[in-house]
Amino acid sequence: MEDCKFSNWKRCPHELFYIAAVASLVFQLLHLRYDLLLHFDKDLGLFSYTARSLVDALLMLLPYWLLPSKWRTGYVGIAVFLFSFWGLSQLWYYRTYEDLMPFSSFLLFDNVSPLLLDGIKASMRLRDVLFVMPPILLFSLYRLFLMDRIRKVPVVSRQRITYLAGILSFTLFIHATNAYSFYRREHDRTAKHFLSRYVNAINSISYFDFNGFVPFCINSFVSTIIEKQSLDAKEKAEIELFLRKYMPEYTDDRYAVKERKNLILIVVESLNSWLINFEIEGMEVTPHLNQLCREDSSIVALHVQPQVKNGRSSDAHFMYNTGLLPINNGAVAVRFGEAGYPSLAKALKGYEAFSMVCDNAKYWNQNIAFSSYGFTRLYDCHSVKGSSGNLNDHTLFKEAASRIEGTGSPFYAQLITLNMHYPYDKLEVPPTDISKSKLYTPNIRNFLETAHYCDNAIGEFIKVLKETGIYEKSLIAIISDHNEIDKNQIENREKSSPEDKEIAMIVLNGSRKLDYVHPVEQIDIYPTLLDLMGANDYLWKGLGHSIFRKDSITLFPSEEKRSYVSDLMITKGYFKLK
C-alpha cells in the first residue's frame, strides 16, 4: 500500500473506487439522518451515527474484495442501486406513516393502485434529488477515470486479506462500543445483557436508529426465519400463562343493549378525534358526527390511541375484529391472513356477517383476511355496476343501505370508507366554503373538505337507516382506523404528543349515554363491542379491556410483553393449535 498515494492513484484504482463507493453510501445514510431519523430522534448523535454508517457502508461493499474481478463493479452497482431504492422508499413512506417500511411490504405487488401512486407522488420533495446524487457522481467517476484501470490492475490475495481483516476489526470495535455504551447507560433499566441494544426495539425505525442499516437487515431476516418456526411447548406455556393472568373471564352481559340488535361497524379512514366539533371560520367540519355524539344513547370516546403498525388500515380492521395486536414486522392481513382467528363475527352466533370496501378486495389481502375474520360476503369496487375505480363514500353508503335492506336480521355489516385517505395535495371531493378560507395550508383545507364530505355521507346513511326502520334495530359503531393529520399540525406546533394523534369512537343506540374521557387503546374496541352486543359467552375477550370495565382493572401487562405475546400467537400459529 506504500504505492497507493494520491499522486499514484492509477496504481490503486480498486482502492479509490471502493473508497468512493463507501463515501457515496455514507452520504446517503447521513441524508437519511437529516431528512428522516432526526424527525424521530432529535438526540441522535452525529458522531456515533456516522461511525455506524461507515461500518454499514464497509460491510455492504465487503464482497468487492471477495468476488472475482469480472463481478466486482457489477456488485457495487447493484448494491448502491438497491440501497438508493430502499432509501428513497423509506423517505416517502416515513413522511406518511412515521416508521420504516418492512422488507416484506416491498413484495406487495397487489397493493399497487392509483391511490398508492398518488400517495407516493405527494410524499416526494425536490430535495430528494440530493439523495441520488452521490451514486450518480460515483459512477461518473468510474466511467470517466477508473473503468480501464480497474480492468488492468489486479488485486493480490495478501491485499484482500488485509482489507477484510481491517474492515471486520473496525466493525467489531464500533459495534462493541455501541453495545457497551448502551448497556452501561441502561443496565439498571432495560438492558438485561450486553447485546440488549440489538435484540430489543419498539419498531423498525427505532432499530435502524439504534443500530444501523446492516444490523437492521440482519434482524429483519432473523425475525422472519424465527416466525416460520412452529410454536414450541415453552412458548405455548408462556402464552397460556399470560392469558390466565391478564385476559378477563367474565360472562355477564350487564352492559349489553336490551334487545338483540344488528351491528353496523363503520370504519372511517383517518378520522382524528380533534375533527369532532372542529370549526373553520364558524363552519362545522363534521356537523352530522357532532349531532350523533349528542344523541341520548350515544357512547363517545375521543381519546383512543392508535396502535396500528405496518399494515395501517388493515391493522385496524384486524384489531377491531380479533382483539389482537398487529405484528411488528409487516402487515398481518397479508402475511398471516389465512389463520382461523377468534373474532367478533364468530362471537355473534346466528348473525350474517358481510363487509363492504371502497377499493379492490385484493389490496392488503382483504378477500382472504376478512374471510378468516368470519365474514361470509365481501363487496368491493367491482361489486357495483358501472363502477370504474374506487368507490367514493357516498356510493359506499348508498350501496350498503341497499344491501342491508335486503339482508335478514340479525346481521353484522362492516363498512370501510376511503375518501379521507392520504394524500391531500389535490381536492377529490366537491368544494365547500372550507376551500374559500385562508386559514391553514391547502393540504389541511383539503383534508377538512374530505372529512366534511365523509361526514355528509354518514349523515345521509343514518337518515336512510331511520327511514327504513333499521336504525332502531341496530347498534352502530363509527370508529377511525388510524390518525393522519395530527392536532399539532393544526396548531402549528412542530412536536406532536400522543394526545395529538387520538382517534374517535362513536357508538349509537348504546346501552346508556356515556362520554368516556379516559384514555382508550384500539385494542379495547373489540371487548367493548362484545360487551355491548351481549356476546360475553364467547371465551376469547382479546388482549384489551372493555371501556365499561377498564377503570376497575388493576393488573395490566407491559406494552412490550403484550405485543410480544400477540406477535407470538399470530406468527407461530397459536390459533391453528386450538
Side-chain angles (χ1 to χ4, degrees):
M1 285 295 292
E2 61 271 10
D3 293 329
C4 286
K5 299 177 181 178
F6 185 76
S7 58
N8 297 324
W9 65 268
K10 290 184 179 181
R11 298 182 183 180
C12 308
H14 294 280
E15 289 79 1
L16 182 58
F17 180 60
Y18 185 79
I19 292 170
V22 167
S24 173
L25 290 174
V26 170
F27 276 119
Q28 287 185 300
L29 286 162
L30 289 171
H31 185 113
L32 291 177
R33 175 186 181 272
Y34 167 76
D35 210 4
L36 190 156
L37 291 175
L38 284 179
H39 294 278
F40 169 76
D41 179 9
K42 294 186 182 300
D43 297 323
L44 178 59
L46 177 60
F47 179 79
S48 59
Y49 178 81
T50 303
R52 290 195 297 272
S53 297
L54 180 57
V55 167
D56 284 335
L58 290 169
L59 290 177
M60 278 190 275
L61 299 175
L62 186 67
Y64 187 87
W65 305 113
L66 299 171
L67 293 170
S69 58
K70 62 181 179 180
W71 292 351
R72 288 176 192 148
T73 54
Y75 169 78
V76 172
I78 292 171
V80 171
F81 171 79
L82 290 177
F83 181 76
S84 298
F85 176 76
W86 181 86
L88 276 177
S89 300
Q90 301 301 355
L91 284 172
W92 300 335
Y93 187 87
Y94 181 81
R95 287 167 187 159
T96 302
Y97 302 123
E98 297 185 344
D99 198 2
L100 296 186
M101 182 166 67
F103 288 108
S104 60
S105 294
F106 283 93
L107 301 177
L108 300 181
F109 301 116
D110 283 345
N111 277 7
V112 178
S113 66
L115 185 63
L116 174 64
L117 296 177
D118 287 343
I120 294 172
K121 182 180 176 182
S123 295
M124 293 178 177
R125 302 290 184 270
L126 184 60
R127 64 180 180 271
D128 295 341
V129 174
L130 297 175
F131 188 78
V132 298
M133 287 304 296
I136 292 174
L137 294 174
L138 170 66
F139 288 101
S140 297
L141 174 69
Y142 170 74
R143 293 287 297 182
L144 293 174
F145 302 105
L146 298 175
M147 184 169 64
D148 292 336
R149 296 300 304 170
I150 285 175
R151 291 173 179 173
K152 294 177 182 178
V153 178
V155 179
V156 298
S157 298
R158 189 175 66 178
Q159 286 179 309
R160 292 190 191 189
I161 295 172
T162 301
Y163 298 156
L164 291 172
I167 291 169
L168 294 176
S169 298
F170 181 68
T171 298
L172 182 63
F173 171 75
I174 291 299
H175 281 293
T177 304
N178 197 47
Y180 178 71
S181 64
F182 179 78
Y183 176 74
R184 187 179 62 178
R185 186 174 70 250
E186 299 288 336
H187 73 277
D188 290 331
R189 297 173 63 241
T190 59
K192 297 180 180 180
H193 52 77
F194 184 71
L195 294 178
S196 291
R197 182 170 190 144
Y198 293 92
V199 296
N200 296 322
I202 300 172
N203 50 25
S204 296
I205 192 171
S206 66
Y207 197 97
F208 177 47
D209 175 30
F210 258 42
N211 304 310
F213 177 72
V214 172
F216 170 73
C217 294
I218 295 172
N219 180 70
S220 298
F221 177 76
V222 171
S223 297
T224 301
I225 294 299
I226 291 174
E227 286 172 358
K228 292 182 178 180
Q229 298 175 359
S230 300
L231 198 67
D232 60 36
K234 181 181 178 182
E235 290 169 332
K236 186 178 179 183
E238 189 176 10
I239 292 171
E240 300 289 0
L241 177 62
F242 179 92
L243 296 179
R244 285 196 301 271
K245 187 174 183 180
Y246 294 110
M247 193 171 78
E249 298 180 349
Y250 54 79
T251 57
D252 67 276
D253 290 322
R254 71 182 81 169
Y255 301 108
V257 291
K258 292 181 180 180
E259 300 176 2
R260 194 183 196 199
K261 289 184 179 290
N262 307 309
L263 173 61
I264 301 175
L265 174 60
I266 301 173
V267 183
V268 182
E269 175 70 40
S270 305
L271 180 67
N272 283 69
S273 61
W274 62 261
L275 283 163
I276 306 302
N277 295 316
F278 184 81
E279 295 184 0
I280 178 169
E281 297 194 18
M283 179 181 178
E284 289 182 288
V285 173
T286 58
H288 296 96
L289 290 178
N290 298 345
Q291 177 59 41
L292 294 174
C293 287
R294 295 191 288 267
E295 294 282 324
D296 290 339
S297 56
S298 65
I299 298 169
V300 181
L302 300 182
H303 302 287
V304 182
Q305 274 297 317
Q307 293 173 293
V308 297
K309 295 179 183 176
N310 301 126
R312 299 298 289 171
S313 297
S314 68
D315 282 352
H317 310 155
F318 178 75
M319 281 187 281
Y320 298 157
N321 281 287
T322 69
L324 288 158
L325 286 167
I327 58 176
N328 294 310
N329 185 15
V332 61
V334 175
R335 298 191 59 205
F336 302 97
E338 296 182 359
Y341 297 105
S343 70
L344 187 57
K346 296 171 186 176
L348 299 174
K349 299 177 178 65
Y351 278 62
E352 183 173 353
F354 71 91
S355 184
M356 291 192 68
V357 299
C358 293
D359 54 3
N360 192 321
K362 71 178 183 179
Y363 297 154
W364 295 103
N365 203 32
Q366 293 173 115
N367 50 349
I368 303 299
F370 284 4
S371 177
S372 76
Y373 305 159
F375 293 103
T376 56
R377 288 182 287 146
L378 173 60
Y379 303 102
D380 68 355
C381 59
H382 299 300
S383 305
V384 178
K385 290 182 179 180
S387 170
S388 58
N390 295 334
L391 306 179
N392 63 51
D393 292 348
H394 276 272
T395 302
L396 168 76
F397 287 116
K398 182 179 178 180
E399 288 293 319
S402 175
R403 295 185 188 279
I404 284 173
E405 195 171 359
T407 301
S409 293
F411 63 82
Y412 166 29
Q414 177 183 253
L415 313 176
I416 300 173
T417 73
L418 188 62
N419 272 118
M420 290 179 65
H421 197 288
Y422 178 88
Y424 313 110
D425 56 334
K426 293 185 295 184
L427 185 60
E428 303 287 353
V429 300
T432 68
D433 287 343
I434 293 173
S435 294
K436 298 177 183 178
S437 174
K438 301 300 181 184
L439 297 176
Y440 311 115
T441 64
N443 277 22
I444 289 178
R445 290 197 297 270
N446 289 345
F447 174 68
L448 296 176
E449 285 280 24
T450 61
H452 187 73
Y453 180 84
C454 180
D455 174 82
N456 184 263
I458 292 173
E460 290 187 10
F461 177 64
I462 297 297
K463 180 181 177 183
V464 172
L465 293 182
K466 289 181 177 180
E467 291 173 351
T468 56
I470 296 173
Y471 180 82
E472 291 77 12
K473 301 175 184 177
S474 304
L475 182 84
I476 303 169
I478 304 169
I479 311 173
S480 175
D481 56 359
H482 55 73
N483 60 306
E484 193 59 66
I485 300 286
D486 295 333
K487 192 175 182 181
N488 61 295
Q489 295 174 257
I490 297 298
E491 297 180 348
N492 200 28
R493 289 182 285 109
E494 182 179 352
K495 191 174 181 180
S496 65
S497 65
E499 290 74 22
D500 295 325
K501 301 177 182 296
E502 290 172 340
I503 59 177
M505 178 183 78
I506 304 166
V507 180
L508 309 176
N509 287 336
S511 55
R512 64 195 63 201
K513 172 66 177 174
L514 175 63
D515 289 317
Y516 194 79
V517 298
H518 303 294
V520 181
E521 296 175 306
Q522 276 188 288
I523 200 72
D524 297 330
I525 303 298
Y526 169 85
T528 299
L529 292 177
L530 285 182
D531 246 346
L532 287 167
M533 295 302 293
N536 284 327
D537 57 336
Y538 195 62
L539 295 180
W540 177 255
K541 300 297 191 297
L543 301 184
H545 299 282
S546 168
I547 63 171
F548 301 109
R549 306 172 191 263
K550 196 175 178 77
D551 295 342
S552 62
I553 296 172
T554 57
L555 186 63
F556 290 93
S558 68
E559 181 63 27
E560 182 181 1
K561 182 66 174 179
R562 186 171 60 169
S563 179
Y564 164 75
V565 168
S566 185
D567 214 78
L568 203 61
M569 296 172 82
I570 296 166
T571 60
K572 294 201 173 182
Y574 175 78
F575 296 106
K576 293 180 181 178
L577 304 176
K578 302 300 286 180

